[in-house]
Amino acid sequence: MTKAIKKYIDMNPEILGGTPVIKGTRIPLIRLYYLVKQGYSPHDLQKDYPWVDKEKIQMAVAYLMKIGLDAIEKTYSPQASS
């Protein structure tokens, strides 16, 4: 994970066991992954999470696109850890 994205994404073992979340929230990236896969746009996500800074949502979605949606699902889905 690049230094720039660490401003928006947090992977702290004390928050959801280290699952990547939007920094300052407990919203896991895997949740955003499933919403984006269902067709949600960053604007839709902002309506669902109005307390989260718009830039954080946009950067989290951009990060998902960069690493690939399938990669995040394989790495962080509940089935991947079984």
Side-chain angles (χ1 to χ4, degrees):
M1 186 175 343
T2 66
K3 186 176 182 177
I5 200 67
K6 288 182 181 183
K7 180 177 175 182
Y8 306 101
I9 307 297
D10 195 15
M11 290 177 25
N12 181 338
E14 295 181 15
I15 300 172
L16 296 179
T19 298
V21 297
I22 295 176
K23 194 167 210 124
T25 75
R26 294 178 64 84
I27 302 170
L29 290 189
I30 193 71
R31 171 81 177 134
L32 294 185
Y33 160 80
Y34 286 116
L35 292 173
V36 168
K37 196 167 180 176
Q38 291 173 19
Y40 278 60
S41 69
H43 179 72
D44 297 327
L45 294 170
Q46 185 64 50
K47 288 193 297 187
D48 284 357
Y49 301 105
W51 63 90
V52 179
D53 183 62
K54 181 179 179 178
E55 186 178 7
K56 285 183 179 182
I57 289 176
Q58 291 173 335
M59 292 303 289
V61 171
Y63 177 70
L64 288 171
M65 295 300 117
K66 182 177 179 176
I67 65 168
L69 292 176
D70 291 335
I72 196 81
E73 183 176 38
K74 288 177 187 169
T75 305
Y76 298 107
S77 72
Q79 295 84 9
S81 59
S82 332

